[in-house]
Amino acid sequence: MNVSSVKGSMSISSSTSTWKAGDTISDQFPAGLRVLVVDDDPTCLMILEKMLIACLYKVTKCNRAETALSKLRENKNGYDIVLSDVHMPDMDGFKLLEHIGLEMDLPVIMMSADDGKQVVMKGVTHGACDYLIKPVRIEALKNIWQHVVRKRKNEWKEFEQSGSVEEGDRQPKQSDDADYSSSANEGNWKGSKKRKDEEEETDERDDTSTLKKPRVVWSVELHQQFVAAVNQLGIDKAVPKKILELMNVPGLTRENVASHLQKYRLYLRRLSGVSQHQSNLSTIISAQDPTFGSLSSLSGLDLQTLAATGQLPAQSLARLQAAGLGRATAKSGIPITLVDQRNIFSFENPKLRFGEGQQQHMTNKQQVNLLHGIPTTMEPKQLVSLRHAAQSIGNMNMQVPPHGAQSSQNNPLLMQMGQQQQQQQQSRGQILVDSTINHAPRLSSSMGQPILSNGIATNVSSRNGIPENIRAPGYSQTPSMLNFPMNHASELPGNSFALGSTPGVSILTSKGAFQEDVNSEIKGSGGLMPSYDVFNDLDQHKPQSWELQNVGMAFDTSQHSNSLQGNLDLTQSALGQQGFSSGQMNGHNRSAAVASKAMFSTGDVKELGSAQNVNQHLNNLLVDNTIRVKSERVCDTSPANIFPDHFGQDDLMSALLKQQESVASSENEFDFDGYSMNNIPV
Amino acid sequence: MESKHVNQQIAAMRQSFFDEEVLDEFFSQLEQLEDQNNPNFVEEVFTMYFRDSTTLLETVEQAMKTISITLAKMDKILHQLKGSSASVGANKVLNEINKTRQVLEKGNLEGTKAGIWEMRKEYDSLKAKLEPYFQLKQANSVPQEK
């Protein structure tokens, strides 16, 4: 029968089946359409399956959204369209819809017994291509293939318009026409696209004869480029045309960009609505240096979690990790040691943090709020820089928590920055910590690695969802102890503290992934690696870490700073770091002053008992100083100090500290714009 | 013959379902999905439906008894019931569900209880009617297949 033959052909080559130009596609189509149906109600699922089979479709059913997502991920080209129920126990249907839209870009039809206007509207805004009311009639199902065709057609058009076909003839790039021909081509397309954008064009041309439309596969790299371009232009000003120009990808059409932008915007919007933590995490996850390899695992987990939570698209994760890995090469030198340290930190930190984490969360959260108001000044600039740096961390970046007002604008920036950094770094939440640590060394060594600070800063904020992210730019700068030098040297425009160097930045973002517990940690780690750990202990510091800018780092640093300052007992860790960081700041006279204050205050508090208090105190200080990216400077000094004691990373710390100090000195000038720590009541 | 007689009986039963509006056109749709390969599709569907809905109904009834029942939760369950009932064509049950949901939306707990009770009545009635129907069908088809 045609169906069977179609199916057979589908399975062949790249699912060209029906779409093969030469074949009798139209005859068979829509028979053999590969449908994935998701519904938690077994009765409905059974009925739907039967109906779809009656329509001659190839049906796969799942009763859980998670299962559906994993099926889709396993076999990206294996499905043409997805039907999903709205109300499902394990994951909201709309969330699933988002994921699918971003990751696989398949048409999704929502179903529900609920026909309320709001729900239907929600379906529309989330990108569903249709909404069916239950009980679903078989007639309605008979027509779902139209959505597949429509989507293909649009993509095709985009390609045609791009006109940048490399060769003009369709060379079958990897897949052959077959890929294009079938709806499955999309899947293939993706693969091909990833490989070569150019080729896609050519391939598509061939397919044009048939219905196949070259589907633009938004690979991680491509998406990163896209995000970078968007960040550069500003999320509000990003128009497809300009984005296209910036991206400068041959074969990419304005339509491709336009549709992707639309999705991206929706995604961002959703992220900002979603718990910031999650988003932060995602952003943070950006791949940080691969060197952190060990950390990556952590981040991977975080990412996974995020992904699972729907926050972090699987792609993002992959991207981040890839990015992180990619970047590692640069840093391999120092980072390696750092990595170990980081790992230690990250692992240790979490443990430490758990107890504290809770406290920290609270503290951090509180702090975060404080921070929100503050760093805005820095952020815009930093954000910009971050953005550039961050480029397309992709979805992840978006996650930067839109905390409050700040977040809204900063977040995207931060996110971006974070993302970029993350990419460079390893987005894992822990990674931030690690990254900070790693970065620190790196920074010191390379100085050019502002990333750490930036990354961290951004990460931290993003992760926590707290405005910290926003600050992150500032923070990253702080951690910039290392970064500062970098900043100066680096391209960091304005604040972009680490963006230029960015790798560090991403680290922070990844931290975000860590979520609260991590957040506290991250904060410290934001740039200051050492502080990070310290931070955890301190719990309190997360928000405070602003000193370090690294958000989390501050605390840690404060602890570390103690060591540096001597006042702070690292042992105290909790307070010490914070206080320390603040202490550092004093040295720098930058906002650090505040930090130092914090530090000092913390120092006193060191008892840790008052850690909470300290945190608060620090927070206050931080709040004032938050902007003090300068804290980075503080970080410079502190981080080095802090860590050594705490985590036994003495080596790192000292190295970092030294560097930081050196950096700090240079950085002193660094003040981030506006953040004048002066406010800090020391 | 017996078979013929049984067939007539089955047909009559079926028609009564529609006449009484116990079942609606979606039931017919389900029947259309039945074919040689799946002669008992409809029955299978209803078996599943009865199984799940019974659980849901019990949950709802249980919930009604508890003091701190959340209307939202109730609504969720009713929504589920609505979906499956609608899909199988259980018309009267569906109507009762809809009525109950409306009452629930207004926050009328007592009214909701009453509505659920009505729902349960219709549900049981449907079950009582369909079970023999399917049994007959099964019994009838078997000899025919032979």
Side-chain angles (χ1 to χ4, degrees):
Chain A
M1 184 184 158
N2 286 344
V3 177
S4 46
S5 58
V6 170
K7 288 191 187 164
S9 52
M10 289 214 299
S11 47
I12 304 178
S13 55
S14 31
S15 54
T16 34
S17 50
T18 47
W19 290 102
K20 245 191 176 204
D23 296 8
T24 52
I25 305 172
S26 11
D27 290 359
Q28 292 156 353
F29 188 75
L33 197 72
R34 294 157 310 162
V35 184
L36 175 69
V37 55
V38 190
D39 194 333
D40 64 321
D41 185 345
T43 311
C44 292
L45 198 61
M46 190 185 202
I47 298 176
L48 284 167
E49 187 194 25
K50 199 71 178 57
M51 286 195 207
L52 290 166
I53 290 177
C55 296
L56 301 181
Y57 297 149
K58 190 158 171 292
V59 187
T60 312
K61 61 175 181 187
C62 319
N63 65 346
R64 283 177 47 101
E66 293 298 336
T67 321
L69 259 181
S70 54
K71 277 197 197 214
L72 284 166
R73 284 179 187 144
E74 275 169 35
N75 186 4
K76 292 218 169 165
N77 305 336
Y79 303 98
D80 298 311
I81 189 166
V82 179
L83 258 68
S84 171
D85 186 38
V86 168
H87 299 282
M88 289 191 285
D90 63 332
M91 187 195 287
D92 184 34
F94 294 117
K95 236 196 230 148
L96 176 66
L97 165 61
E98 269 179 35
H99 274 299
I100 298 178
L102 278 168
E103 290 180 39
M104 295 120 205
D105 196 24
L106 286 175
V108 181
I109 296 179
M110 303 303 293
M111 303 179 290
S112 179
D114 196 350
D115 58 354
K117 187 171 148 216
Q118 274 78 14
V119 188
V120 180
M121 180 63 87
K122 219 175 161 197
V124 174
T125 55
H126 281 64
C129 50
D130 204 354
Y131 190 103
L132 303 175
I133 309 287
K134 284 189 190 171
V136 179
R137 311 185 82 96
I138 191 169
E139 293 79 34
L141 294 179
K142 286 219 168 97
N143 286 337
I144 60 174
W145 57 267
Q146 62 174 295
H147 302 292
V148 178
V149 176
R150 192 175 294 121
K151 216 169 186 137
R152 295 237 174 143
K153 203 153 172 282
N154 292 337
E155 294 194 345
W156 186 249
K157 248 194 234 156
E158 291 180 1
F159 268 82
E160 282 176 347
Q161 297 184 9
S162 56
S164 32
V165 180
E166 312 280 326
E167 269 88 16
D169 44 324
R170 293 287 155 194
Q171 311 145 3
K173 352 183 215 190
Q174 327 157 347
S175 33
D176 3 312
D177 299 345
D179 292 343
Y180 293 112
S181 47
S182 53
S183 41
N185 284 338
E186 295 191 356
N188 298 323
W189 259 104
K190 289 199 182 150
S192 339
K193 193 161 188 36
K194 286 190 183 159
R195 292 199 255 183
K196 320 182 221 181
D197 292 339
E198 319 164 338
E199 297 201 330
E200 291 181 336
E201 293 182 26
T202 53
D203 289 334
E204 298 182 340
R205 291 291 171 89
D206 293 330
D207 298 327
T208 40
S209 53
T210 56
L211 262 172
K212 357 185 215 187
K213 274 183 290 207
R215 229 180 143 196
V216 173
V217 172
W218 283 91
S219 63
V220 176
E221 299 79 39
L222 198 62
H223 184 75
Q224 282 174 6
Q225 274 181 275
F226 169 81
V227 176
V230 170
N231 291 337
Q232 205 173 318
L233 294 167
I235 190 72
D236 297 327
K237 294 213 192 83
V239 280
K241 191 147 185 268
K242 293 211 184 112
I243 297 175
L244 186 65
E245 285 167 16
L246 275 176
M247 284 177 71
N248 194 20
V249 171
L252 194 64
T253 68
R254 200 200 73 82
E255 285 72 13
N256 293 137
V257 175
S259 66
H260 195 75
L261 177 66
Q262 190 182 34
K263 284 199 215 124
Y264 187 65
R265 283 222 177 95
L266 284 175
Y267 190 79
L268 282 176
R269 224 171 283 142
R270 256 192 291 279
L271 287 178
S272 47
V274 178
S275 59
Q276 311 205 334
H277 285 290
Q278 296 187 334
S279 43
N280 293 334
L281 292 178
S282 332
T283 44
I284 305 194
I285 303 202
S286 57
Q288 296 191 351
D289 288 336
T291 53
F292 297 100
S294 44
L295 294 176
S296 343
S297 51
L298 286 175
S299 44
L301 291 178
D302 295 326
L303 290 174
Q304 302 281 338
T305 316
L306 286 176
T309 54
Q311 303 264 340
L312 187 57
Q315 279 184 347
S316 319
L317 267 177
R319 273 195 263 183
L320 290 174
Q321 299 197 348
L325 291 174
R327 314 269 180 159
T329 53
K331 313 226 183 159
S332 50
I334 303 178
I336 297 179
T337 38
L338 291 175
V339 175
D340 296 342
Q341 305 209 349
R342 282 201 311 187
N343 297 328
I344 301 176
F345 282 102
S346 48
F347 291 100
E348 295 183 352
N349 295 330
K351 295 179 200 161
L352 296 174
R353 295 206 240 221
F354 271 96
E356 304 179 340
Q358 301 178 352
Q359 301 176 348
Q360 292 180 340
H361 290 307
M362 299 200 318
T363 50
N364 295 326
K365 292 192 187 156
Q366 299 171 357
Q367 300 177 345
V368 173
N369 299 325
L370 295 175
L371 295 176
H372 278 290
I374 316 177
T376 33
T377 54
M378 297 202 323
E379 305 180 346
K381 294 189 197 175
Q382 295 178 348
L383 289 175
V384 175
S385 30
L386 284 177
R387 271 203 284 190
H388 291 291
Q391 308 221 346
S392 61
I393 298 255
N395 309 327
M396 306 276 293
N397 294 330
M398 311 259 310
Q399 308 244 341
V400 174
H403 302 284
Q406 296 185 342
S407 351
S408 50
Q409 12 171 323
N410 298 323
N411 292 328
L413 289 177
L414 284 177
M415 296 202 347
Q416 310 236 336
M417 300 201 297
Q419 291 187 345
Q420 292 184 354
Q421 298 186 344
Q422 293 182 348
Q423 295 178 343
Q424 302 174 354
Q425 306 169 1
Q426 298 178 342
S427 40
R428 299 173 287 168
Q430 284 279 336
I431 305 193
L432 275 184
V433 174
D434 297 325
S435 23
T436 35
I437 302 179
N438 294 321
H439 291 292
R442 282 198 290 203
L443 287 175
S444 36
S445 52
S446 46
M447 294 304 279
Q449 312 190 357
I451 309 178
L452 273 180
S453 19
N454 294 333
I456 307 184
T458 27
N459 294 334
V460 178
S461 18
S462 50
R463 293 214 297 195
N464 299 316
I466 350 187
E468 306 210 301
N469 295 324
I470 306 188
R471 296 205 298 178
Y475 291 108
S476 30
Q477 307 213 347
T478 43
S480 56
M481 313 198 295
L482 305 177
N483 295 328
F484 278 105
M486 313 246 313
N487 293 326
H488 297 297
S490 57
E491 39 280 7
L492 298 178
N495 309 318
S496 49
F497 23 85
L499 291 182
S501 44
T502 58
V505 177
S506 35
I507 304 181
L508 288 176
T509 45
S510 27
K511 291 288 175 129
F514 272 88
Q515 322 227 340
E516 309 193 77
D517 292 328
V518 178
N519 293 331
S520 28
E521 299 182 334
I522 303 177
K523 310 249 192 113
S525 43
L528 301 176
M529 312 196 319
S531 51
Y532 187 85
D533 296 324
V534 176
F535 205 56
N536 299 324
D537 303 342
L538 292 178
D539 261 298
Q540 20 170 307
H541 311 307
K542 298 233 178 124
Q544 310 242 344
S545 30
W546 54 265
E547 299 182 326
L548 299 181
Q549 295 282 321
N550 295 317
V551 185
M553 304 262 319
F555 294 103
D556 295 330
T557 48
S558 48
Q559 296 190 350
H560 297 294
S561 54
N562 293 329
S563 51
L564 288 177
Q565 310 223 334
N567 310 329
L568 309 168
D569 303 11
L570 286 183
T571 52
Q572 301 270 345
S573 64
L575 294 179
Q577 295 187 346
Q578 300 198 346
F580 185 78
S581 355
S582 40
Q584 303 260 339
M585 310 243 314
N586 296 326
H588 300 297
N589 293 325
R590 296 183 279 206
S591 39
V594 176
S596 41
K597 290 193 188 174
M599 293 199 347
F600 290 124
S601 48
T602 51
D604 300 331
V605 185
K606 292 190 193 172
E607 312 307 339
L608 284 190
S610 43
Q612 294 274 342
N613 303 330
V614 175
N615 290 327
Q616 309 250 335
H617 185 77
L618 288 175
N619 291 326
N620 298 329
L621 292 178
L622 289 174
V623 175
D624 299 339
N625 299 323
T626 50
I627 314 194
R628 282 327 184 154
V629 176
K630 319 256 188 126
S631 49
E632 297 182 351
R633 304 204 238 188
V634 175
C635 305
D636 300 333
T637 49
S638 41
N641 302 331
I642 305 181
F643 291 115
D645 292 320
H646 272 297
F647 300 92
Q649 305 216 348
D650 303 352
D651 311 331
L652 274 181
M653 314 272 289
S654 41
L656 285 175
L657 288 174
K658 287 194 187 154
Q659 299 193 349
Q660 294 180 348
E661 295 186 311
S662 53
V663 174
S665 47
S666 52
E667 301 183 349
N668 291 315
E669 312 315 338
F670 199 60
D671 295 350
F672 287 92
D673 314 294
Y675 298 111
S676 38
M677 299 241 320
N678 310 312
N679 304 332
I680 309 175
V682 176
Chain B
M1 288 166 117
E2 209 169 13
S3 158
K4 204 168 173 190
H5 177 69
V6 170
N7 273 346
Q8 281 176 354
Q9 207 178 338
I10 293 174
M13 274 177 104
R14 183 177 168 281
Q15 192 52 44
S16 75
F17 295 149
F18 289 112
D19 293 341
E20 293 170 24
E21 291 184 356
V22 170
L23 296 176
D24 58 24
E25 73 265 17
F26 285 99
F27 184 80
S28 316
Q29 214 179 199
L30 290 186
E31 287 179 320
Q32 283 170 24
L33 292 174
E34 238 176 30
D35 54 20
Q36 291 289 8
N37 301 335
N38 287 56
N40 300 320
F41 177 68
V42 184
E43 186 181 357
E44 282 166 21
V45 172
F46 268 90
T47 308
M48 205 177 264
Y49 169 68
F50 286 136
R51 192 183 63 208
D52 291 341
S53 324
T54 305
T55 315
L56 285 175
L57 270 175
E58 279 167 9
T59 310
V60 137
E61 285 165 348
Q62 198 57 40
M64 295 283 347
K65 294 198 191 113
T66 63
I67 301 178
S68 60
I69 180 198
T70 46
L71 295 183
K73 207 153 180 266
M74 292 265 300
D75 190 65
K76 201 160 174 282
I77 301 176
L78 287 178
H79 178 86
Q80 267 180 277
L81 269 172
K82 178 183 173 185
S84 33
S85 304
S87 300
V88 302
N91 192 40
K92 282 199 169 162
V93 177
L94 183 63
N95 290 341
E96 289 306 321
I97 292 176
N98 283 335
K99 279 195 224 154
T100 310
R101 280 187 91 215
Q102 279 174 4
V103 171
L104 183 68
E105 258 168 52
K106 302 206 178 91
N108 183 353
L109 203 58
E110 281 309 313
T112 309
K113 277 195 188 144
I116 290 176
W117 192 75
E118 286 289 327
M119 212 170 65
R120 169 56 96 166
K121 256 186 24 181
E122 289 299 337
Y123 178 80
D124 291 338
S125 153
L126 174 75
K127 207 165 174 200
K129 289 192 169 132
L130 282 178
E131 266 166 9
Y133 171 75
F134 285 127
Q135 277 170 11
L136 213 52
K137 218 163 153 268
Q138 268 280 37
N140 202 29
S141 62
V142 169
Q144 282 170 356
E145 282 163 2
K146 283 189 198 159

PDB file of all heavy atoms in Angstrom, chain A residues 139-151:
ATOM      1  N   GLU A 139     -12.177  14.158  12.209  1.00  0.00           N
ATOM      2  CA  GLU A 139     -12.044  15.072  11.076  1.00  0.00           C
ATOM      3  C   GLU A 139     -10.975  16.114  11.349  1.00  0.00           C
ATOM      4  O   GLU A 139     -10.240  16.518  10.456  1.00  0.00           O
ATOM      5  CB  GLU A 139     -13.373  15.790  10.797  1.00  0.00           C
ATOM      6  CG  GLU A 139     -14.488  14.904  10.307  1.00  0.00           C
ATOM      7  CD  GLU A 139     -15.160  14.118  11.430  1.00  0.00           C
ATOM      8  OE1 GLU A 139     -15.247  14.665  12.554  1.00  0.00           O
ATOM      9  OE2 GLU A 139     -15.548  12.980  11.200  1.00  0.00           O
ATOM     10  N   ALA A 140     -10.947  16.555  12.578  1.00  0.00           N
ATOM     11  CA  ALA A 140      -9.940  17.558  12.924  1.00  0.00           C
ATOM     12  C   ALA A 140      -8.540  16.993  12.754  1.00  0.00           C
ATOM     13  O   ALA A 140      -7.612  17.684  12.349  1.00  0.00           O
ATOM     14  CB  ALA A 140     -10.146  18.023  14.358  1.00  0.00           C
ATOM     15  N   LEU A 141      -8.407  15.753  13.085  1.00  0.00           N
ATOM     16  CA  LEU A 141      -7.096  15.139  12.975  1.00  0.00           C
ATOM     17  C   LEU A 141      -6.709  14.903  11.524  1.00  0.00           C
ATOM     18  O   LEU A 141      -5.528  14.849  11.187  1.00  0.00           O
ATOM     19  CB  LEU A 141      -7.068  13.814  13.737  1.00  0.00           C
ATOM     20  CG  LEU A 141      -7.212  13.944  15.237  1.00  0.00           C
ATOM     21  CD1 LEU A 141      -7.198  12.574  15.883  1.00  0.00           C
ATOM     22  CD2 LEU A 141      -6.092  14.795  15.812  1.00  0.00           C
ATOM     23  N   LYS A 142      -7.688  14.782  10.714  1.00  0.00           N
ATOM     24  CA  LYS A 142      -7.366  14.511   9.319  1.00  0.00           C
ATOM     25  C   LYS A 142      -6.589  15.648   8.702  1.00  0.00           C
ATOM     26  O   LYS A 142      -5.870  15.472   7.738  1.00  0.00           O
ATOM     27  CB  LYS A 142      -8.663  14.293   8.526  1.00  0.00           C
ATOM     28  CG  LYS A 142      -9.320  12.977   8.795  1.00  0.00           C
ATOM     29  CD  LYS A 142      -9.904  12.387   7.499  1.00  0.00           C
ATOM     30  CE  LYS A 142     -10.303  10.941   7.717  1.00  0.00           C
ATOM     31  NZ  LYS A 142     -11.715  10.751   8.005  1.00  0.00           N
ATOM     32  N   ASN A 143      -6.753  16.832   9.259  1.00  0.00           N
ATOM     33  CA  ASN A 143      -6.123  17.992   8.654  1.00  0.00           C
ATOM     34  C   ASN A 143      -4.844  18.472   9.300  1.00  0.00           C
ATOM     35  O   ASN A 143      -4.306  19.501   8.914  1.00  0.00           O
ATOM     36  CB  ASN A 143      -7.101  19.168   8.687  1.00  0.00           C
ATOM     37  CG  ASN A 143      -8.191  18.974   7.664  1.00  0.00           C
ATOM     38  OD1 ASN A 143      -7.992  18.249   6.695  1.00  0.00           O
ATOM     39  ND2 ASN A 143      -9.320  19.619   7.867  1.00  0.00           N
ATOM     40  N   ILE A 144      -4.376  17.794  10.274  1.00  0.00           N
ATOM     41  CA  ILE A 144      -3.208  18.338  10.967  1.00  0.00           C
ATOM     42  C   ILE A 144      -1.967  18.406  10.089  1.00  0.00           C
ATOM     43  O   ILE A 144      -1.034  19.134  10.378  1.00  0.00           O
ATOM     44  CB  ILE A 144      -2.878  17.562  12.256  1.00  0.00           C
ATOM     45  CG1 ILE A 144      -2.570  16.094  11.957  1.00  0.00           C
ATOM     46  CG2 ILE A 144      -4.019  17.674  13.250  1.00  0.00           C
ATOM     47  CD1 ILE A 144      -2.103  15.326  13.174  1.00  0.00           C
ATOM     48  N   TRP A 145      -1.970  17.691   9.027  1.00  0.00           N
ATOM     49  CA  TRP A 145      -0.784  17.721   8.170  1.00  0.00           C
ATOM     50  C   TRP A 145      -0.549  19.098   7.581  1.00  0.00           C
ATOM     51  O   TRP A 145       0.567  19.442   7.186  1.00  0.00           O
ATOM     52  CB  TRP A 145      -0.923  16.687   7.058  1.00  0.00           C
ATOM     53  CG  TRP A 145      -2.156  16.872   6.224  1.00  0.00           C
ATOM     54  CD1 TRP A 145      -3.364  16.299   6.396  1.00  0.00           C
ATOM     55  CD2 TRP A 145      -2.288  17.736   5.089  1.00  0.00           C
ATOM     56  NE1 TRP A 145      -4.248  16.725   5.442  1.00  0.00           N
ATOM     57  CE2 TRP A 145      -3.614  17.618   4.627  1.00  0.00           C
ATOM     58  CE3 TRP A 145      -1.410  18.601   4.412  1.00  0.00           C
ATOM     59  CZ2 TRP A 145      -4.083  18.318   3.534  1.00  0.00           C
ATOM     60  CZ3 TRP A 145      -1.885  19.292   3.312  1.00  0.00           C
ATOM     61  CH2 TRP A 145      -3.222  19.147   2.898  1.00  0.00           C
ATOM     62  N   GLN A 146      -1.606  19.887   7.556  1.00  0.00           N
ATOM     63  CA  GLN A 146      -1.449  21.218   6.968  1.00  0.00           C
ATOM     64  C   GLN A 146      -0.403  22.028   7.735  1.00  0.00           C
ATOM     65  O   GLN A 146       0.296  22.848   7.159  1.00  0.00           O
ATOM     66  CB  GLN A 146      -2.782  21.958   6.981  1.00  0.00           C
ATOM     67  CG  GLN A 146      -3.303  22.177   8.383  1.00  0.00           C
ATOM     68  CD  GLN A 146      -4.547  23.035   8.413  1.00  0.00           C
ATOM     69  OE1 GLN A 146      -4.468  24.199   8.060  1.00  0.00           O
ATOM     70  NE2 GLN A 146      -5.661  22.455   8.835  1.00  0.00           N
ATOM     71  N   HIS A 147      -0.288  21.786   8.991  1.00  0.00           N
ATOM     72  CA  HIS A 147       0.663  22.554   9.779  1.00  0.00           C
ATOM     73  C   HIS A 147       2.091  22.182   9.447  1.00  0.00           C
ATOM     74  O   HIS A 147       2.988  23.005   9.500  1.00  0.00           O
ATOM     75  CB  HIS A 147       0.402  22.325  11.269  1.00  0.00           C
ATOM     76  CG  HIS A 147      -0.988  22.691  11.670  1.00  0.00           C
ATOM     77  ND1 HIS A 147      -1.437  23.991  11.669  1.00  0.00           N
ATOM     78  CD2 HIS A 147      -2.030  21.915  12.047  1.00  0.00           C
ATOM     79  CE1 HIS A 147      -2.706  24.000  12.041  1.00  0.00           C
ATOM     80  NE2 HIS A 147      -3.094  22.760  12.272  1.00  0.00           N
ATOM     81  N   VAL A 148       2.248  20.948   9.109  1.00  0.00           N
ATOM     82  CA  VAL A 148       3.585  20.503   8.741  1.00  0.00           C
ATOM     83  C   VAL A 148       3.989  21.157   7.427  1.00  0.00           C
ATOM     84  O   VAL A 148       5.085  21.682   7.269  1.00  0.00           O
ATOM     85  CB  VAL A 148       3.617  18.973   8.614  1.00  0.00           C
ATOM     86  CG1 VAL A 148       4.984  18.510   8.187  1.00  0.00           C
ATOM     87  CG2 VAL A 148       3.212  18.335   9.922  1.00  0.00           C
ATOM     88  N   VAL A 149       3.068  21.128   6.521  1.00  0.00           N
ATOM     89  CA  VAL A 149       3.355  21.707   5.209  1.00  0.00           C
ATOM     90  C   VAL A 149       3.608  23.198   5.324  1.00  0.00           C
ATOM     91  O   VAL A 149       4.535  23.747   4.741  1.00  0.00           O
ATOM     92  CB  VAL A 149       2.176  21.454   4.248  1.00  0.00           C
ATOM     93  CG1 VAL A 149       2.424  22.133   2.915  1.00  0.00           C
ATOM     94  CG2 VAL A 149       1.980  19.973   4.038  1.00  0.00           C
ATOM     95  N   ARG A 150       2.786  23.815   6.113  1.00  0.00           N
ATOM     96  CA  ARG A 150       2.918  25.253   6.251  1.00  0.00           C
ATOM     97  C   ARG A 150       4.279  25.618   6.799  1.00  0.00           C
ATOM     98  O   ARG A 150       4.953  26.534   6.316  1.00  0.00           O
ATOM     99  CB  ARG A 150       1.833  25.796   7.180  1.00  0.00           C
ATOM    100  CG  ARG A 150       1.730  27.314   7.152  1.00  0.00           C
ATOM    101  CD  ARG A 150       0.562  27.800   7.988  1.00  0.00           C
ATOM    102  NE  ARG A 150      -0.708  27.376   7.429  1.00  0.00           N
ATOM    103  CZ  ARG A 150      -1.593  26.631   8.072  1.00  0.00           C
ATOM    104  NH1 ARG A 150      -1.346  26.215   9.286  1.00  0.00           N
ATOM    105  NH2 ARG A 150      -2.727  26.305   7.497  1.00  0.00           N
ATOM    106  N   LYS A 151       4.685  24.937   7.788  1.00  0.00           N
ATOM    107  CA  LYS A 151       5.957  25.236   8.402  1.00  0.00           C
ATOM    108  C   LYS A 151       7.089  25.035   7.421  1.00  0.00           C
ATOM    109  O   LYS A 151       7.998  25.854   7.305  1.00  0.00           O
ATOM    110  CB  LYS A 151       6.164  24.342   9.610  1.00  0.00           C
ATOM    111  CG  LYS A 151       6.875  25.097  10.681  1.00  0.00           C
ATOM    112  CD  LYS A 151       6.881  24.397  11.989  1.00  0.00           C
ATOM    113  CE  LYS A 151       7.507  25.364  12.976  1.00  0.00           C
ATOM    114  NZ  LYS A 151       6.938  25.475  14.180  1.00  0.00           N
TER     115      LYS A 151
END
